[in-house]
Amino acid sequence: MKRLWYQSERGSSLDAVSDSSVLTNAPATGTPVARFDHPAPALGGLGLFTVLLGGALPLIDFFIVNVALPTIDHDLAAGPALLELVVAGYGLSYAVLLVLGGRLGDMAGRRRLFLVGMAAFGLTSLACGLAPDAWTLVGARVAQGAAAALMLPQVLATIQASTAGHRRARAMSLYGATAGLSMVAGQILGGVLVSAAPLSSVFGESAGWRSVFLVNVPVVLVGLFLAARSMPETRSERPAPVDVPGTLLLAVSLVTLLAPLTEGRAAGWPLWTWVSLGLFPFAAAAFYRVERRADAQGRTPLVPPSLLRLDSLRRGLMLVVPFSIGFGGFMFVIAVALQQGLEMGPAAAGLSLAPMATAFFAASLAGPRLVRRFGSRVVTAGGLIQGVGVTVLALTVWRGWPDLGLLGLLPGVAIAGLGQGLQLPVLIRIVLSDVPSERAGVGGGVMTTTQQAALALGVATLGTLFLALAPGQGMRDALLVTLLVQLGTVVLTTLLSLRLPRTVG
C-alpha cells in the first residue's frame, strides 16, 4: 500500500500513515492533496502498554490500602474516622478532578499531562510511604488522588484519539480488562506486601503498609521512561477553556454526597453530615443548570449535556453506576470480613481473591470475540453469571462460617469474577464508542468520574452498612446482608443491560 507522510503534532518528526489516508482533488486548483481521516500519530504496542500501566496505577491504589488498614491503625493510632479518610480522601479528590484532568489534557496535550500526572503520582506515593502520622498520610492521599486525576483521563483520550476501527476496539477491551484486573490485583498485592514487609530493615514494624505506597515509585520511573519514548502527543483541535463554575459545582456536588456517607458512621453522624447531605441535591441541580446553559450558549461546559444525549454513552453509564457501587463495596467489605471476622492474615485475605482476578482476566480476553458474535448480550450473560457467583458466595458464608478457607471461597469469587470480566470491558467500550475524537478527553473524564464516584459510593454505603451491622449481628450476618445488597445491584445491572444497543462499536 502506498505510504503518505505528514508532519506530526509534535512538529519535529514525520510519521507514516497508510490505512487512514486518501488522495483528493482540491476544488479550486485540481491539485491532488492528502486528506487524513485520522491524522493523530498512531499508538503502537509499547505505547499502549505504557498508557495501560498509567491506567492501572490509580485503580490499584484505590484498593491496595484495604488490607493495609489494620496495620496502619496499629502503627499510627489512626482510629476509625482517620482510617476511612485514608480511603475516602484519595477517592474524593480523584473523582472531583477527573473531568478537569481530561479537559486540561485536551488543551495542553495528553502526553504532557500524562507525564506530569505520573510524576506527581510517584512523588505523592513517596510522601504516603514516608508519612510520620495519620493526618500527614491523609493529606498525601488527597494529593495522590489529585495526581491520579491528571493522569488517568489521558489514557482513554489517547486511545480514542490515536486508534481506529479494530485497533481501537482491541485497545478499549484491553483497557477494560486492565481496569477490572487492577481493582482486584490491588487488594492481592497489598496483602502480599503487608505480609512480606520487604522494607522491614528500614522501617521496622511499619514496613508492611509503607510498602504498598513505596512500590509505586520504581513503577512510575519505568512508566515515565516508556511514556517519553512511546506515547504520541494528541490534543483537541478546538480546545475549550476550563469551565470554572462547572468544576466548582461538580466538586461541591461530589463532596457533599461522598464525604458525609464516608465519614458519618465513624464520626457519629454529627450535624454537618446531615447538612451536607441536604445540600447535595441543590448542588447537583445547580451544576446541571449551569452546564445546560453553557451548552445552549455555544460554550463548552465541563460535562456537556449534549454529550449525554449520545445513546450509547448514557445507557452505558447507567450500568457502570450500579456495577461499580457493588464492586467497590464488596472489595472493601470482604477485606475487613476476612481479616477481622475470619482472622486471616493480610496475604491470605488478599490471595483469597486471586481466583476472581484469574477468572476476570480470562473472561476479558474472550470478551472481544464474544462481542463480535453476540453484541451487548455478553453484558447480560455476565450479569447472570456474576449473580450466580454472589449467590454461591453468600451460601458458602452462611453454611461455612467461621471455618472458611481459601478453597471454600474459591467457587463463589471465581464465578463472580468471570461474570464481572464479561461486563466491565464491554461497558467501557459501549460508553465511549460514539464519543467524537475531539471530545475524547471529556468523554473519558465523564466515564472515569462516574466509575470512580460509584466505587467510592459503594465503599461508603455498603461499607457503612457492614460496619454498622457487625457489632450487633456479628460478622457473618453483616457480610450476608451486604452480599444480598450487592446481589441487588447485580440484578439491576442485568436488567438495564437489556436496553443497551445490540451492536457494540
Side-chain angles (χ1 to χ4, degrees), residues 4 7 13 15 40-41 77-78 100 113 135 158 169 176 193 213 219 237 242 254 273 331 344 356 403 434 497:
L4 300 172
Q7 187 73 22
S13 63
D15 297 282
L100 178 61
L113 261 291
W135 278 111
T158 297
L193 287 173
F213 300 114
V219 177
E237 293 180 2
V242 173
L254 291 174
T273 60
M331 296 298 288
M344 289 185 179
M356 176 180 284
D403 300 318
D434 294 328
S497 71

Side-chain angles (χ1 to χ4, degrees), residues 210-443:
R210 294 184 188 278
S211 296
V212 305
F213 300 114
L214 295 177
V215 71
N216 291 331
V217 176
V219 177
V220 163
L221 292 176
V222 172
L224 289 172
F225 174 78
L226 293 177
R229 295 177 62 88
S230 65
M231 186 175 174
E233 180 65 284
T234 64
R235 57 170 55 86
S236 175
E237 293 180 2
R238 296 179 297 275
V242 173
D243 175 14
V244 176
T247 301
L248 293 176
L249 285 171
L250 177 62
V252 172
S253 300
L254 291 174
V255 169
T256 52
L257 174 64
L258 296 177
L261 288 177
T262 303
E263 286 296 298
R265 186 201 62 83
W269 297 105
L271 179 62
W272 72 264
T273 60
W274 299 108
V275 172
S276 181
L277 287 172
L279 288 174
F280 164 70
F282 297 100
F287 171 70
Y288 177 72
R289 285 197 297 269
V290 166
E291 298 299 273
R292 187 176 61 178
R293 185 182 304 117
D295 212 10
Q297 294 174 350
R299 294 181 282 119
T300 306
L302 188 70
V303 181
S306 58
L307 196 64
L308 298 178
R309 287 198 288 270
L310 292 173
D311 193 54
S312 55
L313 183 139
R314 186 179 66 256
R315 293 189 182 188
L317 289 180
M318 288 175 63
L319 273 77
V320 168
V321 170
F323 177 90
S324 299
I325 287 174
F327 196 105
F330 170 79
M331 296 298 288
F332 175 81
V333 167
I334 200 69
V336 176
L338 294 183
Q339 290 188 89
Q340 296 185 11
L342 297 181
E343 298 183 350
M344 289 185 179
L351 290 173
S352 66
L353 298 177
M356 176 180 284
T358 303
F360 188 105
F361 187 64
S364 300
L365 293 179
R369 186 170 60 254
L370 294 173
V371 166
R372 285 194 296 271
R373 183 172 180 182
F374 301 107
S376 64
R377 291 299 173 260
V378 172
V379 179
T380 306
L384 293 173
I385 295 171
Q386 186 189 1
V388 171
V390 174
T391 302
V392 169
L393 184 58
L395 290 173
T396 303
V397 169
W398 178 56
R399 297 184 63 182
W401 193 277
D403 300 318
L404 281 175
L406 298 182
L407 289 178
L409 295 169
L410 188 151
V413 296
I415 296 171
L418 184 67
Q420 291 162 349
L422 291 175
Q423 293 176 89
L424 184 60
V426 183
L427 284 177
I428 293 174
R429 278 181 60 182
I430 291 172
V431 168
L432 298 175
S433 59
D434 294 328
V435 176
S437 294
E438 64 270 15
R439 285 184 159 184
V442 177

Side-chain angles (χ1 to χ4, degrees), residues 49-200:
F49 171 81
T50 303
V51 296
L52 291 179
L53 176 66
L57 283 174
L59 290 169
I60 287 174
D61 268 62
F62 184 81
F63 291 95
I64 199 170
V65 298
N66 284 348
V67 291
L69 291 176
T71 55
I72 293 174
D73 187 24
H74 178 268
D75 188 55
L76 300 182
L82 282 181
L83 283 178
E84 292 192 14
L85 274 179
V86 170
V87 178
Y90 177 88
L92 274 173
S93 63
Y94 183 24
V96 164
L97 297 173
L98 271 167
V99 180
L100 178 61
R103 175 65 58 83
L104 292 175
D106 287 348
M107 295 172 58
R110 292 157 189 147
R111 177 176 175 271
R112 180 180 301 174
L113 261 291
F114 182 88
L115 289 169
V116 170
M118 180 169 273
F121 191 84
L123 291 173
T124 52
S125 296
L126 181 64
C128 289
L130 299 179
D133 54 62
W135 278 111
T136 303
L137 178 59
V138 170
R141 282 285 282 173
V142 171
Q144 189 187 34
L150 287 180
M151 176 172 58
L152 185 62
Q154 320 316 326
V155 175
L156 282 171
T158 297
I159 292 174
Q160 287 285 96
S162 58
T163 61
H166 175 69
R167 292 183 65 249
R168 177 180 294 178
R170 178 176 174 272
M172 294 302 296
S173 295
L174 287 173
Y175 173 83
T178 301
L181 191 62
S182 298
M183 292 187 278
V184 183
Q187 211 141 302
I188 297 171
L189 179 62
V192 171
L193 287 173
V194 169
S195 297
L199 300 175
S200 56

